[in-house]
Amino acid sequence: MISQRKYALDILEEIGMQNCRPIESPMDPNLKLMADQSEVYADPERYRRLMGKLFYLTITRPDISFAMGVVSQFMENLHLDNWNAVMNILRYVKRVLDKGCCMKTKVIRNYRDIVMLIGLAVPWIGSLH
């Protein structure tokens, strides 16, 4: 299994969330982030650094990819609600620290094997041979 447990712990420690309360989901499904809906976030550089680290974490945590895509839409116009949404992603990361990507050993002979290995069901795959 590929995991970035230590990397995730380092992020949590840097932000001061190593003792935070974990949550079940990286993003509230009812959350509607909009430009100019709350107070402007004071430290955009900190936000961008954290976002870069979390994007790197998506390599082994694809379950945070959607939430990261949503919060990254506001990188140029940051507000407190955006920061709070990222804090929720971190609280979820805290909950799933011991999870990662499980890689199976398989001989890859052709494109069909690659698609099947990553779990895509693509109807046109037979036409590539």
Side-chain angles (χ1 to χ4, degrees):
M1 177 167 62
I2 298 173
S3 173
Q4 293 178 311
R5 185 178 196 282
K6 176 159 179 6
Y7 184 71
L9 282 170
D10 289 345
I11 294 171
L12 289 167
E13 185 177 342
E14 179 183 329
I15 299 299
M17 293 186 66
Q18 63 270 30
N19 296 320
C20 69
R21 182 179 53 90
I23 58 175
E24 296 285 322
S25 174
M27 180 169 268
D28 177 3
N30 299 317
L31 180 67
K32 302 284 187 242
L33 291 175
M34 294 179 282
D36 302 328
Q37 79 179 36
S38 68
E39 181 181 327
V40 173
Y41 183 67
D43 192 356
E45 281 302 310
R46 182 179 187 205
Y47 183 87
R48 289 184 187 105
R49 272 193 315 274
L50 177 58
M51 290 295 289
K53 291 176 182 188
L54 287 173
F55 272 119
Y56 184 73
L57 192 62
T58 62
I59 295 169
T60 57
R61 302 286 340 147
D63 50 337
I64 66 170
S65 293
F66 176 77
M68 289 298 298
V70 171
V71 296
S72 69
Q73 295 176 21
F74 303 96
M75 300 258 302
E76 294 302 318
N77 190 15
L78 299 175
H79 287 82
L80 203 52
D81 288 347
N82 306 105
W83 178 256
N84 292 334
V86 173
M87 294 301 101
N88 280 341
I89 295 170
L90 285 173
R91 290 172 58 210
Y92 173 76
V93 166
K94 167 82 186 259
R95 182 177 186 277
V96 295
L97 280 173
D98 294 326
K99 305 240 187 268
C101 290
C102 184
M103 303 298 283
K104 296 180 181 179
T105 303
K106 180 176 175 152
V107 176
I108 298 175
R109 296 180 301 268
N110 56 40
Y111 187 73
R112 180 189 307 248
D113 288 343
I114 294 171
V115 170
M116 295 305 176
L117 184 64
I118 61 174
L120 296 175
V122 183
W124 47 262
I125 192 68
S127 65
L128 294 176
H129 297 292

PDB file of all heavy atoms in Angstrom, residues 57-84:
ATOM      1  N   LEU A  57      -0.816  15.618  -1.794  1.00  0.00           N
ATOM      2  CA  LEU A  57      -1.397  14.531  -1.018  1.00  0.00           C
ATOM      3  C   LEU A  57      -2.456  13.759  -1.810  1.00  0.00           C
ATOM      4  O   LEU A  57      -2.686  12.582  -1.551  1.00  0.00           O
ATOM      5  CB  LEU A  57      -1.996  15.092   0.275  1.00  0.00           C
ATOM      6  CG  LEU A  57      -2.404  14.106   1.347  1.00  0.00           C
ATOM      7  CD1 LEU A  57      -1.206  13.306   1.843  1.00  0.00           C
ATOM      8  CD2 LEU A  57      -3.067  14.842   2.501  1.00  0.00           C
ATOM      9  N   THR A  58      -3.069  14.392  -2.805  1.00  0.00           N
ATOM     10  CA  THR A  58      -4.102  13.697  -3.588  1.00  0.00           C
ATOM     11  C   THR A  58      -3.537  12.530  -4.394  1.00  0.00           C
ATOM     12  O   THR A  58      -4.299  11.696  -4.879  1.00  0.00           O
ATOM     13  CB  THR A  58      -4.841  14.646  -4.556  1.00  0.00           C
ATOM     14  OG1 THR A  58      -3.924  15.178  -5.499  1.00  0.00           O
ATOM     15  CG2 THR A  58      -5.557  15.756  -3.821  1.00  0.00           C
ATOM     16  N   ILE A  59      -2.217  12.422  -4.511  1.00  0.00           N
ATOM     17  CA  ILE A  59      -1.616  11.280  -5.207  1.00  0.00           C
ATOM     18  C   ILE A  59      -2.032   9.979  -4.540  1.00  0.00           C
ATOM     19  O   ILE A  59      -2.366   9.008  -5.213  1.00  0.00           O
ATOM     20  CB  ILE A  59      -0.075  11.412  -5.250  1.00  0.00           C
ATOM     21  CG1 ILE A  59       0.327  12.612  -6.093  1.00  0.00           C
ATOM     22  CG2 ILE A  59       0.569  10.122  -5.752  1.00  0.00           C
ATOM     23  CD1 ILE A  59       1.797  12.984  -5.970  1.00  0.00           C
ATOM     24  N   THR A  60      -2.031   9.966  -3.213  1.00  0.00           N
ATOM     25  CA  THR A  60      -2.439   8.764  -2.494  1.00  0.00           C
ATOM     26  C   THR A  60      -3.789   8.916  -1.820  1.00  0.00           C
ATOM     27  O   THR A  60      -4.294   7.968  -1.217  1.00  0.00           O
ATOM     28  CB  THR A  60      -1.403   8.377  -1.411  1.00  0.00           C
ATOM     29  OG1 THR A  60      -1.236   9.471  -0.518  1.00  0.00           O
ATOM     30  CG2 THR A  60      -0.086   8.003  -2.040  1.00  0.00           C
ATOM     31  N   ARG A  61      -4.383  10.078  -1.909  1.00  0.00           N
ATOM     32  CA  ARG A  61      -5.691  10.322  -1.305  1.00  0.00           C
ATOM     33  C   ARG A  61      -6.631  10.884  -2.363  1.00  0.00           C
ATOM     34  O   ARG A  61      -7.041  12.053  -2.302  1.00  0.00           O
ATOM     35  CB  ARG A  61      -5.573  11.332  -0.147  1.00  0.00           C
ATOM     36  CG  ARG A  61      -4.646  10.971   0.962  1.00  0.00           C
ATOM     37  CD  ARG A  61      -5.096   9.894   1.904  1.00  0.00           C
ATOM     38  NE  ARG A  61      -6.503   9.680   1.877  1.00  0.00           N
ATOM     39  CZ  ARG A  61      -7.051   8.488   2.066  1.00  0.00           C
ATOM     40  NH1 ARG A  61      -6.326   7.444   2.302  1.00  0.00           N
ATOM     41  NH2 ARG A  61      -8.348   8.334   2.030  1.00  0.00           N
ATOM     42  N   PRO A  62      -6.994  10.100  -3.365  1.00  0.00           N
ATOM     43  CA  PRO A  62      -7.882  10.619  -4.416  1.00  0.00           C
ATOM     44  C   PRO A  62      -9.261  11.000  -3.886  1.00  0.00           C
ATOM     45  O   PRO A  62      -9.980  11.750  -4.536  1.00  0.00           O
ATOM     46  CB  PRO A  62      -7.962   9.471  -5.424  1.00  0.00           C
ATOM     47  CG  PRO A  62      -7.548   8.259  -4.680  1.00  0.00           C
ATOM     48  CD  PRO A  62      -6.615   8.712  -3.604  1.00  0.00           C
ATOM     49  N   ASP A  63      -9.613  10.550  -2.691  1.00  0.00           N
ATOM     50  CA  ASP A  63     -10.908  10.892  -2.113  1.00  0.00           C
ATOM     51  C   ASP A  63     -11.026  12.366  -1.735  1.00  0.00           C
ATOM     52  O   ASP A  63     -12.134  12.857  -1.522  1.00  0.00           O
ATOM     53  CB  ASP A  63     -11.205  10.007  -0.902  1.00  0.00           C
ATOM     54  CG  ASP A  63     -10.067   9.950   0.097  1.00  0.00           C
ATOM     55  OD1 ASP A  63      -8.913  10.204  -0.287  1.00  0.00           O
ATOM     56  OD2 ASP A  63     -10.318   9.638   1.272  1.00  0.00           O
ATOM     57  N   ILE A  64      -9.929  13.091  -1.691  1.00  0.00           N
ATOM     58  CA  ILE A  64     -10.014  14.535  -1.412  1.00  0.00           C
ATOM     59  C   ILE A  64      -9.928  15.368  -2.687  1.00  0.00           C
ATOM     60  O   ILE A  64     -10.003  16.585  -2.631  1.00  0.00           O
ATOM     61  CB  ILE A  64      -8.947  14.995  -0.389  1.00  0.00           C
ATOM     62  CG1 ILE A  64      -7.533  14.867  -0.938  1.00  0.00           C
ATOM     63  CG2 ILE A  64      -9.110  14.279   0.936  1.00  0.00           C
ATOM     64  CD1 ILE A  64      -6.463  15.516  -0.067  1.00  0.00           C
ATOM     65  N   SER A  65      -9.791  14.721  -3.827  1.00  0.00           N
ATOM     66  CA  SER A  65      -9.604  15.442  -5.095  1.00  0.00           C
ATOM     67  C   SER A  65     -10.769  16.369  -5.439  1.00  0.00           C
ATOM     68  O   SER A  65     -10.558  17.506  -5.863  1.00  0.00           O
ATOM     69  CB  SER A  65      -9.382  14.470  -6.244  1.00  0.00           C
ATOM     70  OG  SER A  65      -8.170  13.804  -6.075  1.00  0.00           O
ATOM     71  N   PHE A  66     -11.997  15.889  -5.276  1.00  0.00           N
ATOM     72  CA  PHE A  66     -13.146  16.733  -5.612  1.00  0.00           C
ATOM     73  C   PHE A  66     -13.182  17.971  -4.723  1.00  0.00           C
ATOM     74  O   PHE A  66     -13.336  19.095  -5.205  1.00  0.00           O
ATOM     75  CB  PHE A  66     -14.464  15.967  -5.493  1.00  0.00           C
ATOM     76  CG  PHE A  66     -15.653  16.845  -5.753  1.00  0.00           C
ATOM     77  CD1 PHE A  66     -15.998  17.195  -7.046  1.00  0.00           C
ATOM     78  CD2 PHE A  66     -16.408  17.350  -4.701  1.00  0.00           C
ATOM     79  CE1 PHE A  66     -17.085  18.030  -7.293  1.00  0.00           C
ATOM     80  CE2 PHE A  66     -17.482  18.192  -4.938  1.00  0.00           C
ATOM     81  CZ  PHE A  66     -17.829  18.525  -6.233  1.00  0.00           C
ATOM     82  N   ALA A  67     -13.025  17.768  -3.411  1.00  0.00           N
ATOM     83  CA  ALA A  67     -13.045  18.897  -2.475  1.00  0.00           C
ATOM     84  C   ALA A  67     -11.920  19.877  -2.795  1.00  0.00           C
ATOM     85  O   ALA A  67     -12.104  21.101  -2.737  1.00  0.00           O
ATOM     86  CB  ALA A  67     -12.931  18.390  -1.041  1.00  0.00           C
ATOM     87  N   MET A  68     -10.752  19.359  -3.157  1.00  0.00           N
ATOM     88  CA  MET A  68      -9.630  20.228  -3.516  1.00  0.00           C
ATOM     89  C   MET A  68      -9.950  21.039  -4.772  1.00  0.00           C
ATOM     90  O   MET A  68      -9.589  22.208  -4.879  1.00  0.00           O
ATOM     91  CB  MET A  68      -8.360  19.405  -3.719  1.00  0.00           C
ATOM     92  CG  MET A  68      -7.792  18.835  -2.441  1.00  0.00           C
ATOM     93  SD  MET A  68      -7.317  20.118  -1.289  1.00  0.00           S
ATOM     94  CE  MET A  68      -6.060  20.954  -2.234  1.00  0.00           C
ATOM     95  N   GLY A  69     -10.613  20.420  -5.720  1.00  0.00           N
ATOM     96  CA  GLY A  69     -11.012  21.132  -6.929  1.00  0.00           C
ATOM     97  C   GLY A  69     -11.968  22.269  -6.632  1.00  0.00           C
ATOM     98  O   GLY A  69     -11.869  23.355  -7.220  1.00  0.00           O
ATOM     99  N   VAL A  70     -12.877  22.049  -5.695  1.00  0.00           N
ATOM    100  CA  VAL A  70     -13.844  23.088  -5.332  1.00  0.00           C
ATOM    101  C   VAL A  70     -13.135  24.260  -4.656  1.00  0.00           C
ATOM    102  O   VAL A  70     -13.324  25.416  -5.045  1.00  0.00           O
ATOM    103  CB  VAL A  70     -14.946  22.514  -4.413  1.00  0.00           C
ATOM    104  CG1 VAL A  70     -15.821  23.629  -3.859  1.00  0.00           C
ATOM    105  CG2 VAL A  70     -15.792  21.499  -5.172  1.00  0.00           C
ATOM    106  N   VAL A  71     -12.307  23.977  -3.638  1.00  0.00           N
ATOM    107  CA  VAL A  71     -11.672  25.086  -2.908  1.00  0.00           C
ATOM    108  C   VAL A  71     -10.600  25.792  -3.734  1.00  0.00           C
ATOM    109  O   VAL A  71     -10.301  26.960  -3.483  1.00  0.00           O
ATOM    110  CB  VAL A  71     -11.102  24.641  -1.537  1.00  0.00           C
ATOM    111  CG1 VAL A  71     -12.220  24.180  -0.620  1.00  0.00           C
ATOM    112  CG2 VAL A  71     -10.043  23.585  -1.680  1.00  0.00           C
ATOM    113  N   SER A  72     -10.046  25.122  -4.727  1.00  0.00           N
ATOM    114  CA  SER A  72      -8.999  25.761  -5.534  1.00  0.00           C
ATOM    115  C   SER A  72      -9.566  26.783  -6.521  1.00  0.00           C
ATOM    116  O   SER A  72      -8.815  27.580  -7.075  1.00  0.00           O
ATOM    117  CB  SER A  72      -8.190  24.713  -6.289  1.00  0.00           C
ATOM    118  OG  SER A  72      -8.971  24.113  -7.296  1.00  0.00           O
ATOM    119  N   GLN A  73     -10.863  26.800  -6.716  1.00  0.00           N
ATOM    120  CA  GLN A  73     -11.476  27.764  -7.634  1.00  0.00           C
ATOM    121  C   GLN A  73     -11.372  29.201  -7.121  1.00  0.00           C
ATOM    122  O   GLN A  73     -11.575  30.139  -7.880  1.00  0.00           O
ATOM    123  CB  GLN A  73     -12.947  27.422  -7.852  1.00  0.00           C
ATOM    124  CG  GLN A  73     -13.152  26.106  -8.549  1.00  0.00           C
ATOM    125  CD  GLN A  73     -14.629  25.763  -8.652  1.00  0.00           C
ATOM    126  OE1 GLN A  73     -15.496  26.635  -8.570  1.00  0.00           O
ATOM    127  NE2 GLN A  73     -14.921  24.497  -8.814  1.00  0.00           N
ATOM    128  N   PHE A  74     -11.056  29.358  -5.848  1.00  0.00           N
ATOM    129  CA  PHE A  74     -11.071  30.681  -5.229  1.00  0.00           C
ATOM    130  C   PHE A  74      -9.678  31.142  -4.812  1.00  0.00           C
ATOM    131  O   PHE A  74      -9.538  31.972  -3.931  1.00  0.00           O
ATOM    132  CB  PHE A  74     -12.008  30.672  -4.016  1.00  0.00           C
ATOM    133  CG  PHE A  74     -13.407  30.256  -4.374  1.00  0.00           C
ATOM    134  CD1 PHE A  74     -13.812  28.946  -4.212  1.00  0.00           C
ATOM    135  CD2 PHE A  74     -14.290  31.177  -4.908  1.00  0.00           C
ATOM    136  CE1 PHE A  74     -15.101  28.558  -4.554  1.00  0.00           C
ATOM    137  CE2 PHE A  74     -15.576  30.795  -5.254  1.00  0.00           C
ATOM    138  CZ  PHE A  74     -15.976  29.483  -5.083  1.00  0.00           C
ATOM    139  N   MET A  75      -8.640  30.621  -5.451  1.00  0.00           N
ATOM    140  CA  MET A  75      -7.272  30.937  -5.039  1.00  0.00           C
ATOM    141  C   MET A  75      -6.931  32.419  -5.243  1.00  0.00           C
ATOM    142  O   MET A  75      -6.085  32.955  -4.549  1.00  0.00           O
ATOM    143  CB  MET A  75      -6.273  30.070  -5.792  1.00  0.00           C
ATOM    144  CG  MET A  75      -6.481  28.605  -5.564  1.00  0.00           C
ATOM    145  SD  MET A  75      -5.400  27.799  -4.435  1.00  0.00           S
ATOM    146  CE  MET A  75      -3.807  28.059  -5.028  1.00  0.00           C
ATOM    147  N   GLU A  76      -7.555  33.095  -6.163  1.00  0.00           N
ATOM    148  CA  GLU A  76      -7.247  34.497  -6.434  1.00  0.00           C
ATOM    149  C   GLU A  76      -8.096  35.455  -5.605  1.00  0.00           C
ATOM    150  O   GLU A  76      -7.780  36.630  -5.499  1.00  0.00           O
ATOM    151  CB  GLU A  76      -7.449  34.806  -7.923  1.00  0.00           C
ATOM    152  CG  GLU A  76      -6.484  34.075  -8.828  1.00  0.00           C
ATOM    153  CD  GLU A  76      -5.028  34.380  -8.497  1.00  0.00           C
ATOM    154  OE1 GLU A  76      -4.698  35.556  -8.235  1.00  0.00           O
ATOM    155  OE2 GLU A  76      -4.218  33.443  -8.483  1.00  0.00           O
ATOM    156  N   ASN A  77      -9.172  34.953  -5.039  1.00  0.00           N
ATOM    157  CA  ASN A  77     -10.092  35.799  -4.279  1.00  0.00           C
ATOM    158  C   ASN A  77     -10.471  35.065  -2.996  1.00  0.00           C
ATOM    159  O   ASN A  77     -11.575  34.565  -2.863  1.00  0.00           O
ATOM    160  CB  ASN A  77     -11.319  36.106  -5.145  1.00  0.00           C
ATOM    161  CG  ASN A  77     -12.196  37.171  -4.537  1.00  0.00           C
ATOM    162  OD1 ASN A  77     -11.795  37.882  -3.632  1.00  0.00           O
ATOM    163  ND2 ASN A  77     -13.418  37.267  -5.042  1.00  0.00           N
ATOM    164  N   LEU A  78      -9.539  35.008  -2.065  1.00  0.00           N
ATOM    165  CA  LEU A  78      -9.696  34.176  -0.870  1.00  0.00           C
ATOM    166  C   LEU A  78     -10.530  34.845   0.203  1.00  0.00           C
ATOM    167  O   LEU A  78     -10.336  36.024   0.510  1.00  0.00           O
ATOM    168  CB  LEU A  78      -8.324  33.836  -0.292  1.00  0.00           C
ATOM    169  CG  LEU A  78      -7.416  33.055  -1.208  1.00  0.00           C
ATOM    170  CD1 LEU A  78      -6.049  32.896  -0.574  1.00  0.00           C
ATOM    171  CD2 LEU A  78      -8.014  31.703  -1.512  1.00  0.00           C
ATOM    172  N   HIS A  79     -11.405  34.030   0.778  1.00  0.00           N
ATOM    173  CA  HIS A  79     -12.224  34.489   1.889  1.00  0.00           C
ATOM    174  C   HIS A  79     -12.160  33.462   3.006  1.00  0.00           C
ATOM    175  O   HIS A  79     -11.711  32.327   2.797  1.00  0.00           O
ATOM    176  CB  HIS A  79     -13.663  34.721   1.428  1.00  0.00           C
ATOM    177  CG  HIS A  79     -13.789  35.933   0.588  1.00  0.00           C
ATOM    178  ND1 HIS A  79     -13.500  35.938  -0.753  1.00  0.00           N
ATOM    179  CD2 HIS A  79     -14.135  37.209   0.903  1.00  0.00           C
ATOM    180  CE1 HIS A  79     -13.671  37.154  -1.233  1.00  0.00           C
ATOM    181  NE2 HIS A  79     -14.050  37.945  -0.252  1.00  0.00           N
ATOM    182  N   LEU A  80     -12.616  33.844   4.164  1.00  0.00           N
ATOM    183  CA  LEU A  80     -12.557  32.987   5.338  1.00  0.00           C
ATOM    184  C   LEU A  80     -13.299  31.665   5.129  1.00  0.00           C
ATOM    185  O   LEU A  80     -12.872  30.624   5.630  1.00  0.00           O
ATOM    186  CB  LEU A  80     -13.117  33.742   6.545  1.00  0.00           C
ATOM    187  CG  LEU A  80     -12.686  33.284   7.912  1.00  0.00           C
ATOM    188  CD1 LEU A  80     -11.174  33.184   8.015  1.00  0.00           C
ATOM    189  CD2 LEU A  80     -13.225  34.210   8.973  1.00  0.00           C
ATOM    190  N   ASP A  81     -14.394  31.689   4.383  1.00  0.00           N
ATOM    191  CA  ASP A  81     -15.132  30.447   4.105  1.00  0.00           C
ATOM    192  C   ASP A  81     -14.266  29.446   3.332  1.00  0.00           C
ATOM    193  O   ASP A  81     -14.378  28.238   3.544  1.00  0.00           O
ATOM    194  CB  ASP A  81     -16.412  30.738   3.314  1.00  0.00           C
ATOM    195  CG  ASP A  81     -17.471  31.405   4.173  1.00  0.00           C
ATOM    196  OD1 ASP A  81     -17.323  31.427   5.413  1.00  0.00           O
ATOM    197  OD2 ASP A  81     -18.450  31.909   3.597  1.00  0.00           O
ATOM    198  N   ASN A  82     -13.411  29.944   2.433  1.00  0.00           N
ATOM    199  CA  ASN A  82     -12.515  29.065   1.695  1.00  0.00           C
ATOM    200  C   ASN A  82     -11.522  28.391   2.649  1.00  0.00           C
ATOM    201  O   ASN A  82     -11.265  27.195   2.554  1.00  0.00           O
ATOM    202  CB  ASN A  82     -11.746  29.830   0.625  1.00  0.00           C
ATOM    203  CG  ASN A  82     -12.657  30.596  -0.294  1.00  0.00           C
ATOM    204  OD1 ASN A  82     -12.758  31.801  -0.184  1.00  0.00           O
ATOM    205  ND2 ASN A  82     -13.344  29.908  -1.171  1.00  0.00           N
ATOM    206  N   TRP A  83     -10.953  29.183   3.545  1.00  0.00           N
ATOM    207  CA  TRP A  83     -10.014  28.648   4.526  1.00  0.00           C
ATOM    208  C   TRP A  83     -10.706  27.597   5.409  1.00  0.00           C
ATOM    209  O   TRP A  83     -10.145  26.535   5.673  1.00  0.00           O
ATOM    210  CB  TRP A  83      -9.438  29.777   5.384  1.00  0.00           C
ATOM    211  CG  TRP A  83      -8.498  29.303   6.434  1.00  0.00           C
ATOM    212  CD1 TRP A  83      -8.759  29.190   7.767  1.00  0.00           C
ATOM    213  CD2 TRP A  83      -7.154  28.857   6.255  1.00  0.00           C
ATOM    214  NE1 TRP A  83      -7.656  28.703   8.423  1.00  0.00           N
ATOM    215  CE2 TRP A  83      -6.653  28.496   7.518  1.00  0.00           C
ATOM    216  CE3 TRP A  83      -6.321  28.736   5.144  1.00  0.00           C
ATOM    217  CZ2 TRP A  83      -5.362  28.013   7.702  1.00  0.00           C
ATOM    218  CZ3 TRP A  83      -5.035  28.263   5.333  1.00  0.00           C
ATOM    219  CH2 TRP A  83      -4.566  27.902   6.593  1.00  0.00           C
ATOM    220  N   ASN A  84     -11.912  27.878   5.844  1.00  0.00           N
ATOM    221  CA  ASN A  84     -12.647  26.921   6.684  1.00  0.00           C
ATOM    222  C   ASN A  84     -12.935  25.622   5.935  1.00  0.00           C
ATOM    223  O   ASN A  84     -12.892  24.540   6.522  1.00  0.00           O
ATOM    224  CB  ASN A  84     -13.940  27.547   7.206  1.00  0.00           C
ATOM    225  CG  ASN A  84     -13.660  28.658   8.197  1.00  0.00           C
ATOM    226  OD1 ASN A  84     -12.623  28.672   8.857  1.00  0.00           O
ATOM    227  ND2 ASN A  84     -14.574  29.609   8.295  1.00  0.00           N
TER     228      ASN A  84
END
